[in-house]
């Protein structure tokens, strides 16, 4: 018994709620689940907003096919690049890009959809739109001043929105094995992002020029079709560098719980 009437009423309400929870009364349980769902969605949106703020586009200078395929790479209004023309059995995209920052700690690859690709992509393989991303490699050198040769960069961690089982995880993209690959099977027609984190930060005064090699050495014609490259610095917390998992990202596209 509480001497203060308002405390006594509060205790009765809490006791009744606790009893309802123990009995798993549907109305009360559904209310708790809605509250938890709203909290999760709010947190995911906040984290996604911070991610968006701290990824910066690389300035693409050129993109070429390593095997000389007649593939054309066209810049899109959103800064992505769309591959058209030849779809060779296998290829490596050689990207020359620049950045002004001096504390670059990770590079992000966004495999994007496009209605011109099979099943909207993000790959060029017919009919599924899959890709087999074999290796992601990069080197860097100063954009100005004395050039002493590009320094190979070491990536120590890779994360992605989705990977196909044990053998199709994005970690295969930095394992040095040209017979393994990252695959987005079976989630075609959706954007898939990957983040490759550097062993140590890179960046030169006056800017840095990167040569990025994206190798597609899996099953034939499993090449990326539309993609965008960006970087982050130490401003982005390491905990928020990995992209949001596909399942979590799709939660954010659904109407908020009420």
């Amino acid at each position: 018994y509480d001497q203060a009437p308002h405390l006594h009423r509060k205790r009765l309400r809490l006791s009744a709620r606790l009893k309802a929870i123990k009995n798993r009364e549907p109305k009360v349980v559904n209310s708790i689940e809605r509250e938890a769902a709203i909290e999760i969605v709010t947190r995911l949106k906040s984290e996604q907003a911070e991610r968006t703020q701290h990824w910066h586009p690389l300035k693409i200078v050129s993109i070429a096919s390593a095997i000389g395929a007649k593939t054309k790479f066209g810049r899109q209004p959103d800064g992505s690049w769309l591959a058209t023309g030849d779809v060779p059995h296998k290829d490596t995209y050689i990207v020359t890009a620049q950045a002004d920052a001096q504390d670059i700690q990770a590079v992000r690859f966004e495999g994007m959809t496009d209605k011109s690709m099979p099943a909207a992509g993000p790959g060029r393989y017919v009919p599924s739109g899959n890709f087999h991303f074999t290796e992601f490699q990069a080197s860097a050198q100063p954009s100005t001043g004395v050039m002493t040769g590009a320094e190979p960069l070491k990536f120590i961690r890779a994360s992605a929105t989705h990977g196909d089982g044990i053998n199709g995880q994005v970690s295969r993209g930095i394992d040095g094995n040209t017979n393994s690959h990252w695959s987005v099977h079976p989630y075609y027609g959706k954007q898939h992002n990957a983040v490759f984190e550097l062993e140590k930060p890179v960046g030169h005064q006056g800017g840095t020029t990167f040569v990025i090699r994206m190798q597609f050495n899996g099953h034939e014609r499993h090449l990326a079709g539309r993609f965008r490259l960006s970087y982050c610095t130490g401003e982005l917390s390491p905990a928020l560098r990995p992209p949001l998992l596909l399942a979590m990202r799709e939660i954010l596209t659904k109407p908020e719980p009420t």
Side-chain angles (χ1 to χ4, degrees), residues 7-232:
L7 291 177
H8 184 63
R9 289 193 296 270
K10 185 176 182 180
R11 183 182 295 276
L12 290 175
R13 286 197 303 271
L14 292 175
S15 296
R17 184 174 174 83
L18 179 58
K19 182 179 179 181
I21 292 171
K22 288 180 178 179
N23 293 334
R24 298 199 59 81
E25 294 182 9
K27 184 177 180 180
V28 176
V29 171
N30 291 341
S31 173
I32 293 172
E33 290 177 348
R34 282 197 300 273
E35 292 170 4
I38 291 171
E39 183 178 344
I40 291 171
V41 169
T42 301
R43 174 175 58 81
L44 291 176
K45 284 187 173 182
S46 175
E47 292 177 353
Q48 194 72 335
E50 186 167 353
R51 285 188 183 93
T52 300
Q53 179 182 355
H54 291 295
W55 284 103
H56 311 285
L58 284 168
K59 302 172 186 175
I60 306 298
V61 177
S62 66
I63 305 177
S65 159
I67 66 170
K70 295 180 180 179
T71 304
K72 298 178 181 179
F73 298 95
R75 182 181 176 87
Q76 305 302 298
D78 61 358
S80 65
W81 291 77
L82 180 64
T84 58
D86 282 1
V87 186
H89 283 205
K90 300 178 183 182
D91 203 354
T92 298
Y93 298 168
I94 302 176
V95 181
T96 303
Q98 295 179 331
D100 296 328
Q102 298 179 39
D103 181 34
I104 296 171
Q105 302 202 13
V107 179
R108 181 177 67 177
F109 166 89
E110 295 175 88
M112 304 173 71
T113 61
D114 193 273
K115 62 182 181 180
S116 68
M117 297 187 296
R124 304 188 71 193
Y125 179 68
V126 177
S128 69
N130 195 10
F131 59 62
H132 285 173
F133 203 136
T134 307
E135 286 294 309
F136 185 87
Q137 301 170 331
S139 59
Q141 65 180 10
S143 297
T144 60
V146 178
M147 304 294 182
T148 59
E151 175 189 2
L153 302 178
K154 182 177 181 180
F155 295 97
I156 59 171
R157 190 163 36 253
S159 53
T161 50
H162 167 73
D164 177 21
I166 295 176
N167 294 321
Q169 293 298 312
V170 72
S171 58
R172 303 289 185 178
I174 57 170
D175 64 2
N177 182 357
T178 58
N179 293 315
S180 66
H181 58 257
W182 168 41
S183 166
V184 299
H185 173 80
Y187 297 109
Y188 314 125
K190 300 177 184 293
Q191 179 167 326
H192 289 275
N193 302 341
V195 171
F196 303 96
E197 297 186 55
L198 289 159
E199 181 180 43
K200 57 183 180 180
V202 64
H204 300 277
Q205 287 188 346
T208 302
T209 296
F210 296 89
V211 176
I212 297 170
R213 297 175 64 88
M214 300 189 297
Q215 185 181 68
F216 302 93
N217 195 48
H219 296 169
E220 63 180 37
R221 305 185 192 281
H222 280 63
L223 286 75
R226 183 179 179 185
F227 58 90
R228 184 165 54 195
L229 295 170
S230 53
Y231 68 88
C232 76

